[in-house]
Amino acid sequence: MGVLRMGYVHAKVTDLEEAKQHYGSTMGLYETRSEPGRVFYKGWDEWDHHSVVLEEGGVGLAKIGYKVADAGDIEIYEKRAEQFGCTVQRMAAGENPEVSDGIRITLPSRHELELYHDMTLVGTEVGTINPDVFPRHLIGVGAPRVEHALLATDDVRLADRFFCEVLDFYATERVQTSLDDDCGYIGTWLSAGNQVHDIAFIDGPPGKLHHFAFQLKDWAEILRAGQLFAMDDVSVDIGPTQHGITRGETIYFFDPAGNRNEVFAGGYFSYPDRPTHVWTPDQLAKGIFYVQRELNDRFTTVFT
Ligand code: FE
């Protein structure tokens, strides 16, 4: 039982054709469905029908979906979220194309979170029988999968509590206002399994997106992504560099609508009984950008 992973990010974009260039040609996602005003994508190593949905009209996050292991989990999380004080709606199968029934929770951070237990399995090019290690004709970055999202909220501690108490996540890293037990949180990085994070929150305008991330294998792939961003004139926020928090290697960049993306590699193997790393505000810049130890204005002020 439990939350398995971030299944999909449903983002808004100002121009679908421009977005398709970015997510299709530069990031190398596979288009799995197209309809007027919307396009669905998955990464090469993702088995379910889609992991990115782009909708024309505006910018930012429409909603985010997390897959749970069993249909029975839905009811458990529905009750817990209601007890926590959240608005919870049932969603029917097919309301999201190729996605099962589930629930839609309005988070304390004002983001819409959907939990679902099934999505149409479309498989991958390499398949399951004697699979090659990657498909031969990947395009651009050839991102294998989406990995996590960082969202903004005006009460990080409440977001942390929701994910830990309601959805059985645990915090791998926190930036705290102090080391006191009753301190506030400036940021929290939360895991549902063994990834260093499956979702994270930082202090900022509630309901807004800071970024969503694609997983890459290693530092060499991060640099190669940066080279492709230069070739395709992708707007880069910062990187390649490394985080102190999560220890991941990274580039932040923007899609044509202005939504921030990340390519992320590394990050340590985590588990629920591993003590949480705590960062103090004076070390925030080192936590975020370990090498430069300096935050740029764009990184702390641009949300969509
Ligand atoms: Fe990230």
Side-chain angles (χ1 to χ4, degrees), residues 6 8-12 59-66 105-114 147-160 162-163 167 169 185-190 197-213 252 259-262 288 299-300 302-304:
M6 184 166 86
Y8 54 84
V9 172
H10 186 138
K12 293 177 279 183
V59 63
L61 192 68
K63 57 193 183 182
I64 195 163
Y66 279 71
I105 305 170
T106 305
L107 295 176
S109 59
R110 295 193 224 159
H111 301 91
E112 297 288 308
L113 173 83
E114 293 180 337
E147 208 215 32
H148 67 266
L150 175 61
L151 308 179
T153 179
D154 55 1
D155 191 340
V156 174
R157 187 156 181 153
L158 184 64
D160 180 292
F162 175 87
F163 274 83
L167 299 181
F169 283 53
Y185 298 169
I186 296 164
T188 184
W189 285 255
L190 298 148
H197 59 336
D198 291 285
I199 197 163
F201 287 88
I202 52 163
D203 199 27
K208 295 290 189 182
L209 170 72
H210 188 274
H211 69 267
F212 61 93
Y252 288 109
N259 295 304
R260 191 186 284 98
N261 297 165
E262 180 185 21
I288 303 284
F299 186 82
T300 52
V302 174
F303 297 89
T304 58

Coordinates of all heavy atoms in Angstrom, one line a residue, residues 6 8-12 59-66 105-114 147-160 162-163 167 169 185-190 197-213 252 259-262 288 299-300 302-304:
M6 N 5.5 10.2 -8.2 CA 4.8 11.2 -9.0 C 4.5 10.6 -10.4 O 5.4 10.1 -11.1 CB 5.7 12.4 -9.2 CG 5.0 13.6 -9.9 SD 5.9 15.1 -9.7 CE 7.1 15.0 -11.1
Y8 N 2.2 12.1 -12.8 CA 2.1 13.1 -13.9 C 2.1 14.5 -13.4 O 1.6 14.8 -12.2 CB 0.8 12.8 -14.8 CG -0.5 12.7 -14.1 CD1 -1.2 13.9 -13.8 CD2 -1.1 11.5 -13.8 CE1 -2.5 13.8 -13.2 CE2 -2.3 11.4 -13.2 CZ -3.0 12.5 -12.9 OH -4.3 12.4 -12.3
V9 N 2.6 15.3 -14.2 CA 2.5 16.8 -14.0 C 1.6 17.3 -15.1 O 1.8 17.0 -16.3 CB 3.9 17.4 -14.2 CG1 3.8 18.9 -14.1 CG2 4.8 16.9 -13.1
H10 N 0.6 18.1 -14.8 CA -0.3 18.7 -15.8 C 0.0 20.2 -15.7 O -0.4 20.8 -14.7 CB -1.7 18.3 -15.4 CG -2.8 18.7 -16.4 ND1 -3.8 18.0 -16.8 CD2 -2.9 19.9 -17.1 CE1 -4.5 18.6 -17.7 NE2 -4.0 19.8 -17.9
A11 N 0.7 20.7 -16.7 CA 1.1 22.1 -16.7 C 0.4 22.9 -17.8 O 0.0 22.3 -18.8 CB 2.6 22.1 -16.9
K12 N 0.3 24.2 -17.6 CA -0.3 25.0 -18.6 C 0.9 25.7 -19.3 O 1.9 26.1 -18.8 CB -1.1 26.1 -17.9 CG -2.4 25.5 -17.2 CD -3.2 26.6 -16.5 CE -2.6 26.8 -15.2 NZ -3.4 27.8 -14.3
V59 N 0.0 29.7 -17.8 CA 1.3 29.1 -17.4 C 1.1 28.6 -16.0 O 0.2 29.0 -15.3 CB 2.4 30.3 -17.5 CG1 2.1 31.4 -16.6 CG2 3.8 29.7 -17.4
G60 N 2.0 27.7 -15.6 CA 2.0 27.1 -14.2 C 1.4 25.8 -14.2 O 1.2 25.1 -15.2
L61 N 1.1 25.3 -13.0 CA 0.6 24.0 -12.7 C -0.9 23.9 -12.7 O -1.5 24.6 -11.9 CB 1.2 23.5 -11.3 CG 1.1 22.1 -11.0 CD1 2.0 21.2 -11.9 CD2 1.5 21.9 -9.5
A62 N -1.5 23.0 -13.5 CA -2.9 22.8 -13.4 C -3.2 21.8 -12.3 O -4.0 22.1 -11.4 CB -3.5 22.2 -14.7
K63 N -2.4 20.7 -12.2 CA -2.5 19.8 -11.2 C -1.4 18.8 -11.3 O -0.6 18.8 -12.3 CB -3.9 19.0 -11.2 CG -4.1 18.4 -12.6 CD -5.6 18.0 -12.7 CE -5.8 17.2 -14.0 NZ -7.2 16.8 -14.1
I64 N -1.3 17.9 -10.3 CA -0.2 17.0 -10.2 C -0.8 15.6 -9.8 O -1.7 15.6 -8.9 CB 0.9 17.5 -9.3 CG1 2.2 16.8 -9.4 CG2 0.5 17.6 -7.8 CD1 3.4 17.6 -8.9
G65 N -0.3 14.5 -10.3 CA -0.9 13.2 -10.0 C 0.2 12.3 -9.4 O 1.3 12.2 -9.9
Y66 N -0.2 11.6 -8.3 CA 0.6 10.6 -7.7 C -0.1 9.3 -7.8 O -1.3 9.2 -7.5 CB 1.0 11.0 -6.3 CG 2.1 12.0 -6.2 CD1 1.9 13.3 -6.6 CD2 3.4 11.6 -5.8 CE1 3.0 14.2 -6.6 CE2 4.5 12.5 -5.8 CZ 4.3 13.8 -6.2 OH 5.3 14.7 -6.2
I105 N -7.4 16.2 -4.2 CA -7.3 16.9 -3.0 C -6.8 18.3 -3.2 O -5.8 18.5 -3.9 CB -6.3 16.1 -2.0 CG1 -6.6 14.7 -1.9 CG2 -6.1 16.8 -0.7 CD1 -5.5 13.8 -1.2
T106 N -7.5 19.3 -2.6 CA -6.9 20.6 -2.6 C -6.0 20.7 -1.4 O -6.4 20.6 -0.2 CB -8.0 21.7 -2.5 OG1 -8.9 21.5 -3.6 CG2 -7.4 23.1 -2.6
L107 N -4.7 20.8 -1.7 CA -3.7 20.7 -0.6 C -3.7 22.0 0.2 O -4.2 23.1 -0.3 CB -2.3 20.6 -1.2 CG -2.0 19.3 -1.9 CD1 -0.6 19.3 -2.6 CD2 -2.1 18.1 -1.0
P108 N -3.2 22.0 1.5 CA -3.1 23.2 2.2 C -2.3 24.3 1.5 O -2.4 25.5 1.7 CB -2.3 22.8 3.5 CG -2.6 21.3 3.6 CD -2.7 20.8 2.2
S109 N -1.4 23.9 0.6 CA -0.6 24.8 -0.2 C -1.4 25.3 -1.4 O -0.8 26.1 -2.2 CB 0.6 24.1 -0.7 OG 0.3 22.9 -1.5
R110 N -2.7 24.9 -1.6 CA -3.6 25.3 -2.6 C -3.3 24.7 -4.0 O -3.8 25.1 -5.0 CB -3.7 26.8 -2.8 CG -4.2 27.5 -1.5 CD -4.6 28.9 -1.8 NE -4.2 29.8 -0.7 CZ -3.9 31.1 -0.8 NH1 -4.1 31.7 -1.9 NH2 -3.6 31.8 0.3
H111 N -2.4 23.7 -4.0 CA -2.2 22.9 -5.3 C -3.3 21.8 -5.3 O -3.8 21.3 -4.3 CB -0.8 22.3 -5.3 CG 0.3 23.3 -5.2 ND1 0.8 23.7 -4.0 CD2 0.9 24.1 -6.2 CE1 1.7 24.6 -4.3 NE2 1.8 24.9 -5.6
E112 N -3.6 21.4 -6.6 CA -4.5 20.3 -6.8 C -3.7 19.0 -6.9 O -2.9 18.9 -7.8 CB -5.4 20.5 -8.0 CG -6.3 21.7 -8.0 CD -7.5 21.5 -7.0 OE1 -8.2 20.5 -7.1 OE2 -7.7 22.3 -6.1
L113 N -3.9 18.1 -6.0 CA -3.2 16.8 -6.1 C -4.2 15.7 -6.4 O -5.2 15.5 -5.7 CB -2.5 16.5 -4.7 CG -1.9 15.1 -4.6 CD1 -0.5 15.1 -5.2 CD2 -1.8 14.7 -3.1
E114 N -3.9 14.9 -7.4 CA -4.8 13.7 -7.7 C -4.0 12.5 -7.3 O -2.9 12.3 -7.6 CB -5.1 13.7 -9.2 CG -6.0 14.9 -9.6 CD -6.4 15.0 -11.0 OE1 -5.7 14.4 -11.9 OE2 -7.4 15.7 -11.3
E147 N 10.6 13.0 -12.3 CA 11.0 12.5 -11.0 C 10.4 13.2 -9.8 O 9.9 12.5 -8.9 CB 12.5 12.7 -10.9 CG 13.1 11.6 -10.0 CD 14.3 12.1 -9.2 OE1 14.3 13.3 -8.9 OE2 15.1 11.3 -8.9
H148 N 10.3 14.5 -9.8 CA 9.8 15.2 -8.6 C 9.3 16.6 -9.0 O 9.6 17.1 -10.2 CB 10.8 15.3 -7.5 CG 12.0 16.2 -7.9 ND1 13.2 15.7 -8.4 CD2 12.2 17.5 -7.8 CE1 14.0 16.7 -8.6 NE2 13.4 17.9 -8.3
A149 N 8.7 17.3 -8.1 CA 8.3 18.7 -8.3 C 8.6 19.4 -7.1 O 8.5 18.9 -6.0 CB 6.8 18.8 -8.7
L150 N 8.9 20.7 -7.2 CA 9.0 21.6 -6.1 C 7.9 22.7 -6.2 O 7.8 23.4 -7.2 CB 10.4 22.3 -6.1 CG 10.7 23.4 -5.1 CD1 10.6 22.8 -3.7 CD2 12.1 23.9 -5.3
L151 N 7.1 22.8 -5.2 CA 6.0 23.7 -5.2 C 6.2 24.7 -4.1 O 6.9 24.5 -3.1 CB 4.7 22.9 -4.9 CG 4.5 21.6 -5.8 CD1 3.2 20.9 -5.4 CD2 4.4 22.0 -7.3
A152 N 5.5 25.8 -4.3 CA 5.6 27.0 -3.3 C 4.4 27.0 -2.4 O 3.3 26.6 -2.8 CB 5.7 28.3 -4.1
T153 N 4.6 27.4 -1.2 CA 3.5 27.5 -0.2 C 3.9 28.6 0.9 O 5.1 28.8 1.1 CB 3.2 26.2 0.5 OG1 2.1 26.4 1.4 CG2 4.4 25.6 1.2
D154 N 2.9 29.1 1.5 CA 3.2 30.1 2.6 C 3.2 29.4 3.9 O 3.5 30.1 4.9 CB 2.1 31.3 2.6 CG 0.7 30.7 2.7 OD1 0.5 29.5 2.8 OD2 -0.2 31.6 2.7
D155 N 3.1 28.1 4.0 CA 3.2 27.4 5.2 C 3.9 26.0 4.9 O 3.2 25.0 4.8 CB 1.8 27.2 5.9 CG 2.0 26.7 7.4 OD1 3.0 26.1 7.7 OD2 1.0 26.8 8.1
V156 N 5.2 26.0 4.9 CA 5.9 24.8 4.5 C 5.8 23.7 5.5 O 5.6 22.6 5.2 CB 7.4 25.2 4.3 CG1 8.2 23.9 4.1 CG2 7.6 26.1 3.1
R157 N 5.7 24.2 6.8 CA 5.6 23.2 7.9 C 4.2 22.4 7.8 O 4.2 21.2 8.0 CB 5.7 23.8 9.2 CG 5.8 22.8 10.4 CD 6.5 23.3 11.6 NE 6.5 22.2 12.6 CZ 7.4 22.1 13.5 NH1 8.4 22.9 13.7 NH2 7.3 21.0 14.3
L158 N 3.2 23.1 7.4 CA 1.9 22.5 7.2 C 1.9 21.5 6.0 O 1.3 20.4 6.1 CB 0.8 23.5 7.0 CG -0.6 23.1 6.9 CD1 -1.1 22.4 8.2 CD2 -1.6 24.2 6.6
A159 N 2.6 21.9 4.9 CA 2.7 21.0 3.8 C 3.4 19.8 4.1 O 3.1 18.6 3.8 CB 3.4 21.7 2.6
D160 N 4.5 19.9 4.9 CA 5.3 18.8 5.4 C 4.5 17.9 6.2 O 4.5 16.6 6.0 CB 6.5 19.4 6.2 CG 7.4 18.4 6.8 OD1 7.0 17.6 7.7 OD2 8.6 18.3 6.4
F162 N 1.2 17.6 6.2 CA 0.2 16.9 5.4 C 0.8 15.6 4.8 O 0.2 14.5 4.8 CB -0.4 17.8 4.3 CG -1.3 17.1 3.4 CD1 -2.7 17.0 3.7 CD2 -0.9 16.5 2.2 CE1 -3.5 16.3 2.9 CE2 -1.7 15.8 1.4 CZ -3.1 15.7 1.7
F163 N 1.9 15.8 4.1 CA 2.5 14.7 3.4 C 2.9 13.5 4.3 O 2.8 12.4 3.9 CB 3.6 15.1 2.4 CG 3.1 15.6 1.1 CD1 2.6 16.9 1.0 CD2 3.0 14.7 0.0 CE1 2.0 17.3 -0.3 CE2 2.4 15.1 -1.2 CZ 1.9 16.4 -1.3
L167 N -0.2 11.1 3.8 CA 0.3 10.2 2.6 C 1.5 9.4 2.9 O 2.1 8.8 2.0 CB 0.6 11.2 1.4 CG -0.7 12.0 0.9 CD1 -0.3 12.8 -0.3 CD2 -1.8 11.1 0.6
F169 N 4.6 10.0 3.6 CA 5.9 10.4 3.2 C 6.8 10.7 4.4 O 6.3 10.7 5.5 CB 5.8 11.8 2.4 CG 5.3 11.6 0.9 CD1 4.1 11.0 0.7 CD2 6.1 12.2 -0.1 CE1 3.7 10.9 -0.7 CE2 5.6 12.1 -1.4 CZ 4.4 11.5 -1.7
Y185 N 9.5 26.1 8.9 CA 10.3 25.5 7.8 C 10.3 26.5 6.7 O 9.3 27.1 6.3 CB 9.7 24.2 7.4 CG 9.6 23.1 8.4 CD1 8.9 22.0 8.1 CD2 10.3 23.2 9.6 CE1 8.8 20.9 9.1 CE2 10.2 22.2 10.6 CZ 9.4 21.0 10.3 OH 9.4 20.0 11.2
I186 N 11.5 26.6 6.0 CA 11.6 27.4 4.8 C 11.5 26.5 3.6 O 11.1 26.9 2.5 CB 13.0 28.2 4.9 CG1 13.0 29.1 6.0 CG2 13.3 28.9 3.5 CD1 14.4 29.6 6.4
G187 N 11.9 25.3 3.8 CA 11.8 24.3 2.7 C 11.7 22.9 3.3 O 12.3 22.6 4.4
T188 N 11.1 22.0 2.5 CA 11.1 20.6 3.0 C 11.1 19.7 1.7 O 10.5 20.0 0.7 CB 9.9 20.2 3.9 OG1 10.0 18.9 4.3 CG2 8.6 20.4 3.1
W189 N 11.9 18.6 1.8 CA 12.1 17.6 0.7 C 11.5 16.3 1.2 O 12.0 15.8 2.3 CB 13.6 17.5 0.3 CG 14.0 18.7 -0.4 CD1 14.2 18.8 -1.8 CD2 14.3 20.1 0.1 NE1 14.6 20.1 -2.2 CE2 14.6 20.9 -1.1 CE3 14.2 20.7 1.3 CZ2 14.9 22.2 -0.9 CZ3 14.5 22.0 1.4 CH2 14.9 22.8 0.3
L190 N 10.6 15.7 0.6 CA 9.8 14.6 1.1 C 9.8 13.4 0.2 O 9.7 13.6 -1.1 CB 8.3 15.0 1.3 CG 8.1 16.2 2.3 CD1 7.0 17.1 1.9 CD2 8.0 15.7 3.7
H197 N 13.8 12.5 -3.0 CA 12.6 13.3 -2.8 C 11.6 12.9 -4.0 O 12.0 12.7 -5.1 CB 12.8 14.8 -2.7 CG 13.5 15.5 -3.9 ND1 14.3 14.8 -4.7 CD2 13.4 16.7 -4.3 CE1 14.8 15.7 -5.6 NE2 14.2 16.9 -5.4
D198 N 10.3 12.9 -3.6 CA 9.3 12.7 -4.6 C 8.5 14.0 -4.8 O 7.8 14.2 -5.7 CB 8.3 11.6 -4.2 CG 9.0 10.3 -4.3 OD1 9.2 9.8 -5.4 OD2 9.5 9.7 -3.2
I199 N 8.6 14.9 -3.7 CA 8.0 16.2 -3.8 C 8.7 17.1 -2.8 O 9.3 16.6 -1.9 CB 6.4 16.2 -3.5 CG1 5.8 17.5 -4.0 CG2 6.2 16.0 -2.0 CD1 4.2 17.4 -4.1
A200 N 8.7 18.4 -3.1 CA 9.3 19.3 -2.1 C 8.5 20.6 -2.1 O 7.8 20.9 -3.1 CB 10.8 19.6 -2.6
F201 N 8.7 21.3 -1.0 CA 8.0 22.6 -0.9 C 9.0 23.7 -0.4 O 9.8 23.4 0.4 CB 6.8 22.5 0.1 CG 5.6 21.8 -0.4 CD1 5.6 20.4 -0.2 CD2 4.6 22.4 -1.0 CE1 4.5 19.6 -0.7 CE2 3.5 21.7 -1.5 CZ 3.5 20.3 -1.4
I202 N 8.8 24.9 -0.9 CA 9.6 26.0 -0.4 C 8.7 27.2 -0.2 O 7.6 27.2 -0.7 CB 10.8 26.5 -1.3 CG1 10.3 26.7 -2.7 CG2 11.9 25.5 -1.2 CD1 11.3 27.5 -3.5
D203 N 9.1 28.1 0.7 CA 8.4 29.3 1.0 C 8.2 30.1 -0.3 O 9.2 30.4 -1.0 CB 9.2 30.0 2.0 CG 8.4 31.0 2.8 OD1 7.2 30.8 2.9 OD2 9.0 32.0 3.2
G204 N 7.0 30.5 -0.6 CA 6.7 31.3 -1.8 C 5.2 31.4 -1.9 O 4.4 31.0 -1.0
P205 N 4.8 31.9 -3.1 CA 3.3 32.2 -3.3 C 2.6 30.8 -3.4 O 2.9 30.0 -4.2 CB 3.3 32.9 -4.6 CG 4.6 32.7 -5.2 CD 5.6 32.4 -4.2
P206 N 1.6 30.6 -2.5 CA 0.9 29.3 -2.5 C 0.2 29.0 -3.9 O -0.2 30.0 -4.6 CB -0.2 29.5 -1.4 CG -0.2 30.9 -1.0 CD 1.1 31.5 -1.5
G207 N 0.1 27.8 -4.2 CA -0.5 27.4 -5.5 C 0.4 27.5 -6.7 O 0.1 27.0 -7.8
K208 N 1.6 28.0 -6.5 CA 2.5 28.2 -7.6 C 3.6 27.0 -7.7 O 3.9 26.3 -6.8 CB 3.3 29.5 -7.4 CG 2.4 30.7 -7.5 CD 1.9 30.9 -8.9 CE 1.1 32.3 -9.0 NZ 0.6 32.5 -10.3
L209 N 4.1 26.9 -8.9 CA 5.1 25.9 -9.3 C 6.5 26.6 -9.3 O 6.7 27.6 -9.9 CB 4.8 25.4 -10.7 CG 5.9 24.5 -11.3 CD1 5.9 23.1 -10.7 CD2 5.6 24.3 -12.8
H210 N 7.4 25.9 -8.6 CA 8.8 26.4 -8.8 C 9.5 25.6 -10.0 O 10.0 26.2 -10.9 CB 9.7 26.2 -7.5 CG 11.0 26.8 -7.6 ND1 12.1 26.1 -8.2 CD2 11.5 28.0 -7.3 CE1 13.2 26.9 -8.2 NE2 12.8 28.0 -7.6
H211 N 9.4 24.3 -9.9 CA 9.9 23.5 -11.1 C 9.4 22.1 -11.0 O 9.0 21.6 -9.9 CB 11.4 23.5 -11.2 CG 12.1 22.7 -10.1 ND1 12.5 23.3 -8.9 CD2 12.4 21.4 -10.0 CE1 13.1 22.4 -8.1 NE2 13.1 21.3 -8.7
F212 N 9.4 21.4 -12.1 CA 9.3 19.9 -12.1 C 10.5 19.4 -12.8 O 11.1 20.0 -13.7 CB 8.0 19.4 -12.6 CG 7.6 19.7 -14.0 CD1 8.0 18.9 -15.1 CD2 7.0 20.9 -14.4 CE1 7.6 19.1 -16.4 CE2 6.6 21.2 -15.7 CZ 7.0 20.3 -16.7
A213 N 10.9 18.1 -12.5 CA 12.2 17.6 -12.8 C 12.2 16.3 -13.6 O 11.3 15.5 -13.4 CB 13.1 17.4 -11.6
Y252 N 18.8 24.0 -14.0 CA 17.4 24.5 -14.1 C 17.3 25.3 -15.4 O 18.2 26.1 -15.8 CB 17.2 25.5 -12.9 CG 17.0 24.8 -11.6 CD1 18.0 24.8 -10.6 CD2 15.9 24.0 -11.3 CE1 17.9 24.2 -9.4 CE2 15.7 23.4 -10.1 CZ 16.7 23.5 -9.2 OH 16.6 22.8 -8.0
N259 N 7.7 28.1 -17.6 CA 7.7 27.1 -16.5 C 9.1 26.6 -16.3 O 9.8 26.2 -17.3 CB 6.8 25.9 -16.8 CG 5.3 26.3 -16.9 OD1 4.7 26.9 -16.0 ND2 4.7 26.0 -18.0
R260 N 9.6 26.5 -15.1 CA 10.9 26.1 -14.8 C 10.9 24.5 -14.8 O 10.1 23.9 -14.2 CB 11.5 26.6 -13.5 CG 13.0 26.3 -13.3 CD 13.5 26.7 -11.9 NE 13.6 28.2 -11.7 CZ 12.7 28.9 -11.1 NH1 11.6 28.4 -10.7 NH2 13.0 30.2 -11.0
N261 N 11.9 24.0 -15.5 CA 12.2 22.5 -15.5 C 13.5 22.3 -14.9 O 14.3 23.2 -14.7 CB 12.3 21.9 -16.9 CG 11.0 22.0 -17.8 OD1 11.1 21.9 -19.0 ND2 9.9 22.3 -17.2
E262 N 13.8 21.1 -14.5 CA 15.1 20.7 -14.0 C 15.5 19.3 -14.7 O 14.6 18.5 -14.9 CB 15.1 20.5 -12.5 CG 16.4 20.1 -11.9 CD 16.3 19.9 -10.4 OE1 15.2 19.6 -9.9 OE2 17.4 19.9 -9.7
I288 N 21.3 24.9 -1.5 CA 20.7 24.9 -2.9 C 21.7 24.7 -4.0 O 21.6 23.9 -4.8 CB 19.8 26.2 -3.1 CG1 18.8 26.4 -2.0 CG2 19.2 26.2 -4.5 CD1 17.6 25.5 -2.1
F299 N 16.0 32.5 -9.3 CA 15.7 31.2 -8.7 C 14.8 31.4 -7.5 O 13.9 30.6 -7.3 CB 17.0 30.6 -8.2 CG 16.8 29.2 -7.7 CD1 16.6 28.1 -8.6 CD2 16.6 29.0 -6.3 CE1 16.4 26.8 -8.1 CE2 16.4 27.7 -5.8 CZ 16.2 26.6 -6.7
T300 N 14.9 32.6 -6.8 CA 14.1 32.7 -5.6 C 12.8 33.5 -5.9 O 11.9 33.6 -5.0 CB 14.9 33.5 -4.5 OG1 15.5 34.7 -5.1 CG2 16.0 32.6 -4.0
V302 N 11.1 33.7 -9.3 CA 10.3 33.3 -10.5 C 9.5 32.0 -10.2 O 10.1 30.9 -10.0 CB 11.1 33.1 -11.8 CG1 10.3 32.5 -12.9 CG2 11.8 34.4 -12.2
F303 N 8.2 32.1 -10.0 CA 7.3 31.0 -9.9 C 6.2 31.1 -11.0 O 5.9 32.2 -11.4 CB 6.6 31.1 -8.5 CG 7.5 31.0 -7.3 CD1 8.1 32.1 -6.8 CD2 7.8 29.7 -6.8 CE1 9.0 32.0 -5.7 CE2 8.7 29.6 -5.7 CZ 9.2 30.8 -5.1
T304 N 5.7 30.0 -11.4 CA 4.6 30.1 -12.4 C 3.3 29.4 -11.9 O 3.4 28.7 -10.9 CB 5.0 29.5 -13.7 OG1 5.3 28.1 -13.5 CG2 6.2 30.2 -14.3

